[in-house]
Amino acid sequence: MGYRWLGWALVAAHFGYLAYLLLGGFAAIRWPRTLPPHLLAAGWAVAVVAGHLPCPLTAAQDAARHAAGLPPLTGGFLASYVRGVCYPGGAETLAQVLLGTVVLVSWVLVAVRWWRPARQRWTGRRSH
């Protein structure tokens, strides 16, 4: 019973990671110290998808499922819980491009917000 709960907690962690991946750059607009962890999260996502690296959360979930007497995920987390639910099956490339675009837009907004002249940032006035 405990391993089933652990498996579901890992599903929740996966979804939390995906939410942070999608929205974490926007959080950095307000809290710039959150940008480095978001860069790491995005880099890891690219490494897993492009480099076909194994995801440690999926490995942990499969281990928990095995301990609970359940079979491993077929095709991994995305194939089991995201594909066909969050985007149509067969649209993986489009979903990845859209996700990447949202992340890049958030980073551009961070740059606009935090890399403008310090005087303008702290006084709220524009330099003329």
Side-chain angles (χ1 to χ4, degrees), residues 3-4 7-8 60-74 81:
Y3 288 110
R4 284 183 188 234
W8 284 111
Q61 186 177 3
D62 281 343
R65 290 175 61 87
H66 177 74
L70 299 171
L73 295 175
T74 304
Y81 296 104

Side-chain angles (χ1 to χ4, degrees), residues 41-119:
W44 180 253
V46 169
V48 167
V49 171
H52 304 288
L53 297 177
C55 175
L57 288 173
T58 301
Q61 186 177 3
D62 281 343
R65 290 175 61 87
H66 177 74
L70 299 171
L73 295 175
T74 304
F77 173 78
L78 293 177
S80 299
Y81 296 104
V82 178
R83 184 183 303 141
V85 176
C86 296
Y87 59 85
E92 288 82 11
T93 302
L94 177 61
Q96 292 168 358
V97 167
L98 289 174
L99 176 68
T101 301
V102 169
V103 169
L104 290 174
V105 165
S106 72
W107 291 348
V108 167
L109 293 174
V110 168
V112 167
R113 171 72 172 98
W114 290 105
W115 289 324
R116 61 186 177 181
R119 180 172 181 247

Side-chain angles (χ1 to χ4, degrees), residues 20 23-41 107 110:
Y20 182 66
L23 303 172
F26 294 104
I29 294 169
R30 174 69 175 94
W31 300 287
R33 290 183 180 160
T34 64
L35 186 60
H38 189 258
L39 292 169
L40 289 173
W107 291 348
V110 168

